[in-house]
């Protein structure tokens, strides 16, 4: 920082100002895209990629259809050139500085303007700013960006590497490309165990020419921090691109709603970064930013203007949105016994918060297709089921402004990985320099967002490192995450915790020299839990961690979704194309193995019907498995086991969304159609949770109620054959804490007292505070469905009425003549969601609502509907 600045604070509004001496010539829009080897010259949109341009030109079909990921492999293995003409005025040429600003180039390119080389790119996550004045002329100009195949360059870099840097190539079932870890590009674009390989090329973010005298604002970040005296101090960094060192003026900062302003004098800065603090006076009323479910997401506009001393001329101006919230990651001993480890939980505004969450992956292989509408539907779907947090996973991308803006608005706290995942990485000078620039750019770009609450160095790389021998790998790991990345993050953003990896052991990892021998310890930080061979409806197979940041099991996307991208002949569970979509080795068989522990597999002789029925039972397995696991984590929130395990404060299931149509761990499929799991999330994340379970021989009912500490739990025991309960209980409760076990009794005794002679004949149904209009409900079968199914009568379940509330909301009435488990209603061809689905229907009538994302008329909606329950598929 330059020593010749002084700071003063004014509390008044500014006099009006005229003219902004900072202008932009947008270069987005149509470019020509050329492939020399095939002789293609087509026109395509920027921001975009060669794939969407080729789709638009009808050179290729839908890349997601059948095995087109393999048929179109040549596209990513070839080189493509982007070029266009543009007009430059005399005004542009008269400015002191003219720069080309490329917010994202994917990935390796050479940029020339009028045949003059102006720069090169090699990192998809960087913003490139090149001086172009020397290459420009008044009138018509041309720009050419020659991209080189990232697949070829990754292979060349691997060839040049002095030693192997695993994992080299993805598993053969992924049909992917190799050596993605050598390059700074979206790691899942070379395929993942749920993603196809589409190694995109193109100008994937905005591109423009900026021209200015004096200075232009290249970046603004503003982070409100509550200081030791409980006053808000906004830490502001203004990054100016200055055309000459000899500039001076005032930096005026204003905060809307509370009419506060601040002036900072600036004269001839040595560095282009200007740091200053904006102190919010004590006593100013501030509305806080809260996570979803805890309060409002108050956001304030903060505007910064760089003006002349007389305030008559604005030299540069920008604004951003901030949220006031305090943040603390609490890592303190859980007990007096030092072997019991430390807590790992977050306090927001001093309130400990259980992370009801999930993991986010890129919402399309072609990022330009991720529109704001698509993001809004996915993220609204999340908050509608009480999700308050997500992990932005390290194999994807630093997301768009729109993404973070929506998370700020919706109260979704983000655990943010840096973009390194499931691999070891190089530590060459060039690689480290590129990473350093990347982290520097991205942390500055993103740190203003109140939604982001943590930075994590990578996804699972401490674990991967432990799988390989060799000091070189350890050295590379420490060089990259601890010596290169960590200092940049902690310098630029001391307001958030940094963990070296996910999973890791927090402070214990540091004690172990930043490489944890067991980063999956239950006693310290976060864990990732998967078990593809266990009975996932059985809590005894689960861990009791502090924070589960990943866990899940696979299911298929909805049948309607997969049907669209397959041919009629492909529509059977084990067809070559069905197996082609499955990128998890043995995944299709694993799903059947896991499902059939609990549910008889359907046996239709029609392969298409069989596929659809299997998808339904697999989704049941998926939903109940995640319900079992998440309720388990929530029950451990306020409990500590004698060995020190417990105080679980986070459950982020893997994964919210899909990148294409196929099987995956997601709760919402590519077409934004909710899987059964997403409907279950609304219940297992309900702030008022009834969680019944059988622990050995004991029936236990755990309750978490935020409404009142006193209430009534209604418990009914039914047989499958009768819609009237055989016995009912009412349990008054008084919760001294916010949650606890409010009922426990020997199950056999309860059943024999009630006259249920065989567990397979009965199930429990629970209602909180009212049976007619309950605060929440739950149910519990008492044996495996494989054993129960012969005892459940078929039911005739019908949609008896559909009424229109508005063009996007409908009221449905269902009827049944028998108890029906796992009722599944579908609205084929219409995008929206029901108020509930996958539920047990125990009453003869039931009302539900449906909300569609787009307007639809009653007749079309009615025609789209169908309903089934478990016994209908046999
Ligand atoms: C594809 O591009 C070529 C070359 O620019 C053009 O002649 C053709 O009309 C385009 N086709 C479509 C469907 O846009
Ligand atoms: C771009 O400009 C250079 C230099 O003026 C010229 O040689 C070249 O032909 C131009 N290219 C196009 C496509 O107009
Ligand atoms: C890397 O080396 C392999 C094996 O020698 C060779 O087949 C491949 O073409 C090389 N890759 C590049 C991009 O040169
Ligand atoms: C990208 O450019 C468009 C104008 O072409 C603008 O509306 C949009 O806000 C820009 N996006 C970002 C993130 O700067
Ligand atoms: C800086 O600008 C002022 C007037 O704007 C001028 O008087 C002074 O000589 C300049 N200094 C340098 C070092 O260019
Ligand atoms: C801020 O200023 C506006 C316009 O002068 C005024 O209407 C508003 O009441 C002020 N708000 C506060 C919180 O002082
Ligand atoms: C904050 O800025 C946004 C975008 O510029 C604008 O739409 C909104 O009205 C502003 N809010 C206030 C309270 O000024
Ligand atoms: C599925 O279960 C069968 C029978 O137990 C077993 O042989 C097979 O290995 C399992 N498949 C997978 C992929 O785990
Ligand atoms: C399917 O299974 C059911 C129940 O196990 C049985 O009744 C039915 O006959 C079977 N259908 C076929 C086509 O095998
Ligand atoms: C809980 O509250 C009830 C009623 O206020 C009281 O009788 C009981 O002793 C309390 N239990 C504990 C463990 O504090």
């Amino acid at each position: 920082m330059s020593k010749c600045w002084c700071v003063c604070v004014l509390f008044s509004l500014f006099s009006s100002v005229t003219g902004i001496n900072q202008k932009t010539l947008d270069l987005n829009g149509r470019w020509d895209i050329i492939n020399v080897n095939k002789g293609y010259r087509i026109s395509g949109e920027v921001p975009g990629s060669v794939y969407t341009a080729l789709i638009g030109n009808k050179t290729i079909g839908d890349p997601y259809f059948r095995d087109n990921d393999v048929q179109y492999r040549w596209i990513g293995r070839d080189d493509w050139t982007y070029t266009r003409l543009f007009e430059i005025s005399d005004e542009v040429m008269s400015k002191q500085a003219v720069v080309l600003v490329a917010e994202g180039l994917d990935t390796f390119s050479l940029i020339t303007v009028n045949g003059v080389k102006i720069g090169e790119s090699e990192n998809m996550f960087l913003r490139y700013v090149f001086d172009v004045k020397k290459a420009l002329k008044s009138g018509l100009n041309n720009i050419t960006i020659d991209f080189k195949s990232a697949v070829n360059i990754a292979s060349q870099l691997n060839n040049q590497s002095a030693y192997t840097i695993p994992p080299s190539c993805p598993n053969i079932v992924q049909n992917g490309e190799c050596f993605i870890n050598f390059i700074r590009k979206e790691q899942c674009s070379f395929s993942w165990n749920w993603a196809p390989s589409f190694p995109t090329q193109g100008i994937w973010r905005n591109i423009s020419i900026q021209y200015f005298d004096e200075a232009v604002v290249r970046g603004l970040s503003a982070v409100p921090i509550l200081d030791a005296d409980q006053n808000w101090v906004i830490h502001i960094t203004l990054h100016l691109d200055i055309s000459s060192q000899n500039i001076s003026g005032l930096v005026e900062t204003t905060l809307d709603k509370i009419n506060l302003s601040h002036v900072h004098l600036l004269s001839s800065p040595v560095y282009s970064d200007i740091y200053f603090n904006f102190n919010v006076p004590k006593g100013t009323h501030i509305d806080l930013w809260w996570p979803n479910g805890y309060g409002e997401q108050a956001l304030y506009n903060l505007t910064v203007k760089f003006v002349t001393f007389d305030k008559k001329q604005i030299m540069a101006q920008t604004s951003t949105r901030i949220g006031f919230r305090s943040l603390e990651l609490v890592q303190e001993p859980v007990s007096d016994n030092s072997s019991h480890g430390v807590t790992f939980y977050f306090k927001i505004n001093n309130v400990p918060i259980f992370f009801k969450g999930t993991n986010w992956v890129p919402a399309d292989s072609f990022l330009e297709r991720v529109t704001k509408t698509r993001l809004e539907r996915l993220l609204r779907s999340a908050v509608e089921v009480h999700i308050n947090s997500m992990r932005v996973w390290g194999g994807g991308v630093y997301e768009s402004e729109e993404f973070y803006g929506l998370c700020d608005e919706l109260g979704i706290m983000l655990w943010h990985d840096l973009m390194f995942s499931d691999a070891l990485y190089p530590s060459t000078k060039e690689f480290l320099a590129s990473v350093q620039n990347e982290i520097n750019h991205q942390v500055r770009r993103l740190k203003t967002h109140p939604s982001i609450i943590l930075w994590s160095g990578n996804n699972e790389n401490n674990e991967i490192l432990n799988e390989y021998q060799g000091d070189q790998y350890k050295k590379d790991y420490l060089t990259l995450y601890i010596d290169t990345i960590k200092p940049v993050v902690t310098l630029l953003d001391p307001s958030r915790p940094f963990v070296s990896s996910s999973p890791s052991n927090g402070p214990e990892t540091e004690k172990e020299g930043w490489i944890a021998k067991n980063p999956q310890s239950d006693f310290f930080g976060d864990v990732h839990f998967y078990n593809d061979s266990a009975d996932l409806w059985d809590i005894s197979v689960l861990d009791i961690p502090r924070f589960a940041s990943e866990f899940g099991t696979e299911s298929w996307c909805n049948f309607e979704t997969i049907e669209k991208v397959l041919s009629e002949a492909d529509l059977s569970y084990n067809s070559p194309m069905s197996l082609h979509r499955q990128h998890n080795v043995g995944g299709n068989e694993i799903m059947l193995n896991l499902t059939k522990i609990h549910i008889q597999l359907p046996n239709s002789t029609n392969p298409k019907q069989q596929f659809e029925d299997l998808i339904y039972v697999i989704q049941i397995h998926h939903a109940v498995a995640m319900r079992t696991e998440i309720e388990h984590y929530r029950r451990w929130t306020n409990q500590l086991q004698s060995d020190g395990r417990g105080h679980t404060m986070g459950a982020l299931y893997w994964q919210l969304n899909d990148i294409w149509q196929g099987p995956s761990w997601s709760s919402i499929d590519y077409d934004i159609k909710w899987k059964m799991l997403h409907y279950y999330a609304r219940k297992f994340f309900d702030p008022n949770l009834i969680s019944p379970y059988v622990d050995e021989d004991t029936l236990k009912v755990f309750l978490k109620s935020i409404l009142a500490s006193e209430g009534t739990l209604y418990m009914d025991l039914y047989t499958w054959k009768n819609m009237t309960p055989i016995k009912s209980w009412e349990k008054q409760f008084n919760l001294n804490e916010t949650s606890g076990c409010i009922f426990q009794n020997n199950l056999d005794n309860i059943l024999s007292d009630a006259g249920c002679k065989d567990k397979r004949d009965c199930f429990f149904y629970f209602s909180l505070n009212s049976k007619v209009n309950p605060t929440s409900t739950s149910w519990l079968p008492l044996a495996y469905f494989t054993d129960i199914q012969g005892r459940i009568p078929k039911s005739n379940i019908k949609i008896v009425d559909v009424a229109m509330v508005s063009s996007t909301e409908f009221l449905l009435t269902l009827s049944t003549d028998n108890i029906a488990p796992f009722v599944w209603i579908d609205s084929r061809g219409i995008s929206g969601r029901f108020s509930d689905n996958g539920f047990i229907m125990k009453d003869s009538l039931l009302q539900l609502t449906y909300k569609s994302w787009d307007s639809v008329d009653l007749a079309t909606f009615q025609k789209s509907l169908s309903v089934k329950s478990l016994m209908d598929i046999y």
Side-chain angles (χ1 to χ4, degrees):
M1 224 184 294
S2 159
K3 48 184 174 297
C4 50
W5 311 345
C6 68
V7 175
C8 66
V9 181
L10 297 182
F11 299 106
S12 69
L13 288 176
F14 298 106
S15 52
S16 61
V17 279
T18 55
I20 300 176
N21 199 357
Q22 158 196 337
K23 292 195 177 146
T24 297
L25 174 71
D26 202 340
L27 292 183
N28 290 344
R30 304 303 285 183
W31 286 57
D32 280 353
I33 302 173
I34 301 159
N35 177 286
V36 176
N37 292 331
K38 296 259 181 192
Y40 289 145
R41 185 183 184 107
I42 60 164
S43 142
E45 202 64 30
V46 166
S49 70
V50 297
Y51 292 91
T52 42
L54 290 166
I55 298 166
N57 188 260
K58 298 194 164 55
T59 313
I60 62 170
D62 176 3
Y64 284 172
F65 188 67
R66 301 189 82 231
D67 60 353
N68 278 350
D69 55 322
V70 172
Q71 304 306 321
Y72 298 157
R73 208 168 217 174
W74 61 271
I75 297 168
R77 292 180 173 181
D78 212 334
D79 300 340
W80 296 81
T81 294
Y82 275 63
T83 184
R84 67 165 282 172
L85 301 173
F86 59 98
E87 199 78 42
I88 285 290
S89 65
D90 293 342
E91 188 202 353
V92 175
M93 295 311 290
S94 73
K95 294 292 173 187
Q96 283 179 27
V98 185
V99 294
L100 177 75
V101 182
E103 300 284 346
L105 296 172
D106 178 14
T107 293
F108 298 94
S109 78
L110 170 69
I111 303 108
T112 50
V113 169
N114 298 327
V116 179
K117 175 181 167 180
I118 65 156
E120 288 178 56
S121 73
E122 46 73 45
N123 185 329
M124 177 187 182
F125 307 124
L126 267 181
R127 174 178 57 198
Y128 288 93
V129 180
F130 301 113
D131 179 6
V132 277
K133 196 172 175 189
K134 59 182 188 301
L136 290 176
K137 56 181 195 280
S138 283
L140 204 57
N141 291 258
N142 68 49
I143 179 169
T144 297
I145 307 189
D146 285 301
F147 288 95
K148 288 259 174 285
S149 160
V151 175
N152 291 341
I153 296 206
S155 167
Q156 276 167 22
L157 289 168
N158 172 67
N159 284 1
Q160 287 159 17
S161 177
Y163 49 94
T164 304
I165 302 178
S168 298
C169 292
N171 191 291
I172 194 91
V173 299
Q174 293 181 19
N175 306 301
E177 300 292 355
C178 304
F179 316 116
I180 184 71
N181 51 341
F182 281 87
I183 62 175
R184 295 312 298 145
K185 177 174 168 65
E186 178 186 29
Q187 300 286 288
C188 68
S189 66
F190 277 28
S191 84
W192 212 261
N193 62 359
W194 40 261
S197 171
F198 286 108
T200 47
Q201 277 177 52
I203 303 168
W204 76 292
R205 283 195 169 151
N206 281 356
I207 185 163
S208 64
I209 284 178
Q210 283 186 343
Y211 47 103
F212 55 96
D213 291 326
E214 294 106 14
V216 68
V217 177
R218 187 71 62 223
L220 167 66
S221 61
V223 181
I225 295 183
L226 200 56
D227 72 10
D229 298 327
Q230 302 298 299
N231 293 323
W232 287 105
V233 180
I234 310 170
H235 293 247
I236 298 175
T237 310
L238 183 64
H239 181 64
L240 289 179
D241 201 343
I242 44 188
S243 64
S244 80
Q245 294 300 315
N246 189 15
I247 61 159
S248 54
L250 300 174
V251 179
E252 296 186 339
T253 308
T254 52
L255 198 53
D256 72 328
K257 290 195 259 189
I258 48 180
N259 296 348
L260 282 181
S261 60
H262 170 279
V263 175
H264 177 86
L265 299 180
L266 176 63
S267 80
S268 303
V270 174
Y271 302 109
S272 59
D273 279 344
I274 297 136
Y275 302 91
F276 55 95
N277 288 347
F278 182 153
N279 296 298
V280 177
K282 209 177 189 68
T284 307
H285 175 79
I286 296 285
D287 294 316
L288 297 176
W289 183 94
W290 287 98
N292 178 34
Y294 287 81
E296 298 293 305
Q297 287 75 45
L299 295 166
Y300 291 81
N301 285 353
L302 183 134
T303 302
V304 173
K305 291 176 186 152
F306 180 42
V307 298
T308 49
F309 286 112
D310 62 5
K311 300 183 184 173
K312 292 267 157 42
Q313 177 77 31
I314 303 178
M315 290 175 278
Q317 170 176 348
T318 190
S319 59
T320 190
R321 243 176 12 173
I322 62 171
F324 292 86
R325 54 119 185 87
S326 68
L327 160 68
E328 189 189 350
L329 171 58
V330 183
Q331 292 178 283
E332 58 191 22
V334 287
S335 76
D336 295 339
N337 186 332
S338 63
S339 71
H340 284 179
V342 299
T343 59
F344 187 92
Y345 69 94
F346 295 87
K347 280 187 183 171
I348 303 289
N349 301 327
N350 221 22
V351 175
I353 301 212
F354 185 96
F355 275 47
K356 297 174 190 172
T358 182
N359 282 261
W360 174 264
V361 301
D364 206 300
S365 290
F366 314 108
L367 292 157
E368 58 276 19
R369 299 205 298 206
V370 185
T371 59
K372 185 163 185 198
T373 303
R374 182 165 178 79
L375 288 173
E376 231 164 2
R377 290 178 182 185
L378 285 165
L379 297 173
R380 282 194 190 285
S381 293
V383 294
E384 280 180 15
V385 301
H386 311 292
I387 284 171
N388 64 18
S389 49
M390 283 192 326
R391 181 161 161 262
V392 179
W393 167 74
V397 294
Y398 305 93
E399 288 285 343
S400 62
E401 293 305 323
E402 283 147 353
F403 172 86
Y404 298 102
L406 283 165
C407 290
D408 291 344
E409 287 166 22
L410 295 170
I412 302 174
M413 297 177 286
L414 299 175
W415 169 304
H416 212 302
D417 287 356
L418 302 173
M419 295 301 136
F420 302 86
S421 185
D422 291 296
L424 303 184
Y425 285 85
S427 70
T428 58
K429 209 160 77 259
E430 297 75 20
F431 189 83
L432 294 175
S434 183
V435 168
Q436 188 164 24
N437 288 337
E438 166 190 327
I439 305 302
N440 188 43
H441 171 56
Q442 295 295 344
V443 173
R444 283 163 184 270
R445 178 170 86 94
L446 301 177
K447 69 177 179 173
T448 303
H449 294 283
S451 50
I452 298 175
I453 53 89
L454 172 140
W455 300 110
S456 159
N458 61 64
N459 170 66
E460 295 176 356
N461 294 352
N462 188 159
E463 271 191 287
I464 298 284
L465 176 65
N466 291 353
E467 288 169 17
Y468 294 96
Q469 303 295 317
D471 288 345
Q472 183 65 47
Y473 293 145
K474 286 191 176 145
K475 193 163 157 278
D476 291 348
Y477 181 91
L478 294 174
T479 305
L480 179 60
Y481 302 109
I482 307 307
D483 302 338
T484 306
I485 291 176
K486 183 171 171 284
V488 179
V489 176
T490 52
L491 175 74
L492 292 176
D493 189 11
S495 79
R496 293 178 177 85
F498 171 84
V499 295
S500 52
S501 182
S502 174
S504 81
N505 293 339
E508 185 66 14
T509 305
E510 188 169 1
K511 276 191 210 154
E512 292 185 50
W514 292 109
I515 298 174
K517 275 186 222 68
N518 174 22
Q520 291 278 26
S521 168
D522 284 347
F523 297 92
F524 300 100
D526 61 321
V527 305
H528 294 185
F529 173 83
Y530 292 96
N531 191 335
D532 271 354
S533 56
D535 174 355
L536 294 171
W537 296 20
D538 175 359
I539 55 171
S540 71
V541 308
L542 301 174
D543 284 346
I544 307 171
R546 302 280 184 245
F547 195 105
S549 51
E550 255 198 44
F551 54 91
T553 188
E554 255 194 306
S555 67
W556 268 89
C557 63
N558 290 297
F559 185 70
E560 181 189 349
T561 303
I562 190 66
E563 199 184 6
K564 285 182 206 159
V565 289
L566 296 182
S567 297
E568 194 65 21
D570 303 326
L571 291 172
S572 62
Y573 190 77
N574 281 318
S575 73
M577 282 303 126
S578 160
L579 294 170
H580 178 82
R581 302 306 269 204
Q582 175 56 266
H583 284 192
N584 184 32
V585 180
N588 280 16
E589 195 179 317
I590 291 169
M591 285 188 272
L592 294 184
N593 279 1
L594 290 172
T595 302
K596 75 184 178 202
I597 299 173
H598 292 281
I599 299 176
Q600 273 176 39
L601 298 184
N603 58 1
S604 170
T605 49
N606 173 343
K608 181 173 165 183
Q609 187 62 48
Q610 169 73 349
F611 194 7
E612 185 167 358
D613 292 345
L614 281 172
I615 288 177
Y616 167 64
V617 290
I618 287 167
Q619 285 200 10
I620 294 174
H621 172 265
H622 186 211
V624 177
M626 290 299 98
R627 172 192 159 180
T628 307
E629 188 159 351
I630 286 169
E631 289 188 9
H632 163 84
Y633 294 140
R634 290 191 68 188
R635 290 195 299 262
W636 278 101
T637 304
N638 297 336
Q639 301 176 61
L640 202 60
Q641 198 169 263
S642 59
D643 67 354
R645 281 169 220 255
H647 280 336
T648 308
M649 283 297 277
L652 314 186
Y653 69 82
W654 183 269
Q655 68 205 67
L656 178 74
N657 59 320
D658 270 348
I659 201 166
W660 74 335
Q661 309 89 340
S664 85
W665 295 253
S666 74
S667 64
I668 304 179
D669 74 23
Y670 178 76
D671 284 354
I672 317 191
K673 211 173 158 87
W674 293 11
K675 295 184 182 176
M676 199 181 290
L677 169 58
H678 205 75
Y679 289 99
Y680 273 49
R682 185 175 265 153
K683 294 212 167 127
F684 59 62
F685 281 148
D686 194 317
N688 296 295
L689 173 73
I690 308 169
S691 177
Y693 62 112
V694 177
D695 188 3
E696 298 188 346
D697 299 327
T698 308
L699 170 70
K700 295 184 176 172
V701 184
F702 171 96
L703 189 71
K704 186 166 178 69
S705 168
I706 57 158
L707 293 179
S709 58
E710 289 177 38
T712 309
L713 178 75
Y714 297 94
M715 189 165 114
D716 294 310
L717 187 67
Y718 286 85
T719 63
W720 294 104
K721 294 195 166 65
N722 195 326
M723 298 177 78
T724 308
I726 57 167
K727 182 153 181 170
S728 297
W729 294 259
E730 279 182 31
K731 170 80 186 163
Q732 310 294 323
F733 62 85
N734 182 332
L735 290 177
N736 304 56
E737 291 181 57
T738 53
S739 61
C741 180
I742 63 157
F743 179 90
Q744 58 178 50
N745 220 324
N746 179 280
L747 180 62
D748 290 338
N749 292 348
I750 301 173
L751 295 183
S752 63
D753 286 355
C756 171
K757 292 190 182 56
D758 190 322
K759 278 182 199 174
R760 293 173 295 181
D761 288 325
C762 307
F763 69 92
F764 284 105
Y765 194 88
F766 305 87
S767 321
L768 186 60
N769 293 331
S770 159
K771 280 204 205 184
V772 183
N773 194 8
T775 310
S776 60
T777 62
S778 187
W779 66 289
L780 183 72
L782 301 168
Y784 287 4
F785 275 93
T786 42
D787 297 327
I788 295 171
Q789 275 169 255
R791 296 158 188 257
I792 306 178
K794 291 220 180 208
S795 48
N796 182 12
I797 174 161
K798 288 193 283 210
I799 299 164
V800 288
D801 188 49
V802 184
M804 191 162 179
V805 180
S806 74
S807 64
T808 56
E809 191 170 340
F810 299 87
L811 203 59
L812 293 86
T813 309
L814 268 59
S815 77
T816 183
D817 57 352
N818 271 314
I819 284 171
F822 304 112
V823 175
W824 184 253
I825 336 169
D826 196 5
S827 61
R828 214 185 141 83
I830 294 175
S831 185
R833 61 285 189 211
F834 295 92
S835 53
D836 198 2
N837 218 343
F839 50 85
I840 187 165
M841 191 161 166
K842 62 167 181 59
D843 297 320
S844 51
L845 288 176
L846 177 75
Q847 280 212 324
L848 291 172
T849 56
Y850 181 83
K851 287 187 181 158
S852 62
W853 297 108
D854 298 309
S855 291
V856 56
D857 64 74
L858 181 62
T860 310
F861 177 62
Q862 245 167 335
K863 236 186 347 219
S864 77
L865 292 169
S866 64
V867 63
K868 67 183 168 199
S869 74
L870 184 61
M871 298 316 293
D872 291 334
I873 60 166
Y874 301 101

